[in-house]
């Protein structure tokens, strides 16, 4: 059984090149007839990959990585984590991101000729050539997968003319509220928990992730006032707010508005009116 590692790194000219590393997981395996056990030893070179990953990951982070469903979400997680220490949004060229995610393949001159690429072209598109499809299948899918991890993110598409040139990733800080002693009414009444969320700068009770995420969206992305946030949390299910934000993020290019915050507030007001109607 072999363990394969694929990565990308720039060569001397700055071009991204794929590198491959293959290692045997179990260099030795011993078994005695009639024994119920197999004795083996894991390759020492695999320790950084299978144990503490060079000390950069906690057990909680590893559990988050194992829960991801797509390799693209995993690679975006790693990319954002690498840029986390810059303490600012991280921008990457669209073409470089496609290479990093394995959606394009950079070929040498002979490989490009055999692949029938135009002269001078070295990039072979493997998957999702249209940006709209890339955005929906990769960016939005990864954003949803990473929503409940410590690498929850939003992104901005930077264009040159009408084409996507680069993508900026913004790390989104989730709200972690530690549980504390709370009145019995709050412990048994979810609505009271939501209403108590704003009773002090630091809430005294634990809030569920969906509610915390809805609050974060309204406060950090749309800069809603505390009064607005209280209003929408009390009158709309938090999941409705989150889904409304996801829909708006996906479709805002087709909408007409002067302010994202005003449009989103009006959208939520319409939902409240519809519920009360």
């Amino acid at each position: 059984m072999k363990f394969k590692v694929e990565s990308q790194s720039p060569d001397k000219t700055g071009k991204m090149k794929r590198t491959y590393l293959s290692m045997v997981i179990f260099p030795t395996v011993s078994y005695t007839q009639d024994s119920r056990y197999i004795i083996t030893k894991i390759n020492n070179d695999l320790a950084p990959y299978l144990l503490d990953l060079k000390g950069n990951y906690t057990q909680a982070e590893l559990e988050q990585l194992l829960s991801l469903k797509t390799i693209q979400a995993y690679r975006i997680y790693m990319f954002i984590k690498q840029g986390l220490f810059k303490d600012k949004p991280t921008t990457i060229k669209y073409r470089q991101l496609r290479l990093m995610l394995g959606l394009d393949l950079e070929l040498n001159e002979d490989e490009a000729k055999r692949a029938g690429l135009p002269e001078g072209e070295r990039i072979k598109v493997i998957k999702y050539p249209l940006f709209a499809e890339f955005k929906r299948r990769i960016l939005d899918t990864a954003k949803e997968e990473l929503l409940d991890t410590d690498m929850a993110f939003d992104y901005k598409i930077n264009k040159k003319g009408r084409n996507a040139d680069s993508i900026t990733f913004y790390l989104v800080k989730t709200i972690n509220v530690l549980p504390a002693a709370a009145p019995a009414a709050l412990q048994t009444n979810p609505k009271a928990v939501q209403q108590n969320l704003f009773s002090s700068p630091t809430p005294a009770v634990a809030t569920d992730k969906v509610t915390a995420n809805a609050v974060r969206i309204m406060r950090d992305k749309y800069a809603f006032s505390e009064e607005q946030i209280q209003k929408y949390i009390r009158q709309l299910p938090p999941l409705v707010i989150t889904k409304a934000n996801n829909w708006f993020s996906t479709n805002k290019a087709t909408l007409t508005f002067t302010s994202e915050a005003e449009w989103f507030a009006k959208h939520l007001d319409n939902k409240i009116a519809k519920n009360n109607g």
Side-chain angles (χ1 to χ4, degrees):
M1 183 180 296
K2 292 185 177 182
F3 182 84
K4 296 181 180 180
V5 180
E6 178 184 337
S7 60
Q8 291 205 21
S9 58
D11 62 11
K12 294 180 180 180
T13 65
K15 291 184 177 180
M16 297 298 293
K17 297 291 185 179
R18 289 188 177 188
T19 59
Y20 301 89
L21 178 64
S22 178
M23 293 176 280
V24 175
I25 297 179
F26 305 111
T28 60
V29 178
S30 64
Y31 171 73
T32 303
Q33 187 177 6
D34 298 328
S35 172
R36 293 183 297 171
Y37 304 99
I38 294 176
I39 301 175
T40 185
K41 178 181 178 181
I42 296 178
N43 190 335
N44 288 337
D45 292 336
L46 284 172
Y49 302 96
L50 301 181
L51 300 178
D52 65 345
L53 296 180
K54 297 181 181 179
N56 292 330
Y57 297 86
T58 65
Q59 181 64 33
E61 288 172 326
L62 291 176
E63 290 176 359
Q64 291 175 355
L65 288 173
L66 291 173
S67 71
L68 300 180
K69 298 177 182 178
T70 64
I71 186 62
Q72 287 81 14
Y74 166 79
R75 288 177 176 173
I76 289 177
Y77 179 103
M78 301 294 288
F79 171 72
I80 297 176
K81 183 173 178 65
Q82 290 171 3
L84 178 63
F85 303 102
K86 299 177 181 178
D87 197 28
K88 61 181 181 180
T90 303
T91 299
I92 183 172
K93 289 289 187 179
Y94 170 51
R95 198 161 193 175
Q96 183 181 351
L97 179 60
R98 290 185 58 88
L99 287 169
M100 184 186 78
L101 297 177
L103 304 178
D104 289 347
L105 183 62
E106 189 168 12
L107 308 176
N108 60 36
E109 187 175 353
D110 291 338
E111 291 171 334
K113 287 181 180 180
R114 290 196 296 269
L117 298 181
E119 186 176 354
E121 180 62 53
R122 297 288 184 270
I123 304 299
K124 180 180 179 181
V125 177
I126 305 299
K127 210 169 185 181
Y128 308 135
L130 299 179
F131 183 77
E133 191 175 20
F134 169 84
K135 178 179 179 297
R136 179 170 61 88
R137 294 291 188 93
I138 302 299
L139 294 179
D140 292 340
T141 298
K143 180 179 176 180
E144 184 176 351
E145 280 196 54
L146 297 180
L147 184 62
D148 290 329
T149 73
D150 60 336
M151 293 296 139
F153 73 92
D154 204 348
Y155 64 88
K156 177 185 177 184
I157 300 166
N158 309 305
K159 294 185 176 182
K160 274 191 177 180
R162 300 181 63 181
N163 298 322
D165 177 66
S166 63
I167 298 168
T168 300
F169 290 89
Y170 301 86
L171 186 65
V172 174
K173 294 183 179 180
T174 55
I175 299 175
N176 294 317
V177 183
L178 296 176
L186 291 178
Q187 295 178 359
T188 58
N189 186 345
K191 197 68 175 180
V193 171
Q194 293 179 11
Q195 292 174 352
N196 190 70
L197 181 61
F198 304 94
S199 60
S200 62
T202 303
V205 296
T207 57
D208 63 275
K209 287 185 177 181
V210 178
T211 300
N213 188 57
V215 172
R216 175 193 58 76
I217 289 170
M218 292 186 288
R219 185 188 62 203
D220 297 347
K221 183 174 182 179
Y222 298 103
F224 281 5
S225 67
E226 292 300 306
E227 184 179 355
Q228 283 179 296
I229 296 174
Q230 289 188 55
K231 168 187 172 182
Y232 296 126
I233 283 293
R234 289 171 177 169
Q235 299 189 53
L236 288 172
L239 186 58
V240 169
I241 297 172
T242 301
K243 288 185 175 181
N245 170 68
N246 293 342
W247 184 92
F248 178 63
S249 298
T250 303
N251 296 279
K252 64 182 180 182
T254 65
L255 304 173
T256 302
F257 55 85
T258 56
S259 165
E260 291 189 4
E262 290 181 4
W263 189 96
F264 194 65
K266 185 176 181 180
H267 184 67
L268 296 183
D269 287 335
N270 289 338
K271 287 186 174 295
I272 292 173
K274 184 177 180 180
N275 291 343
N276 295 336

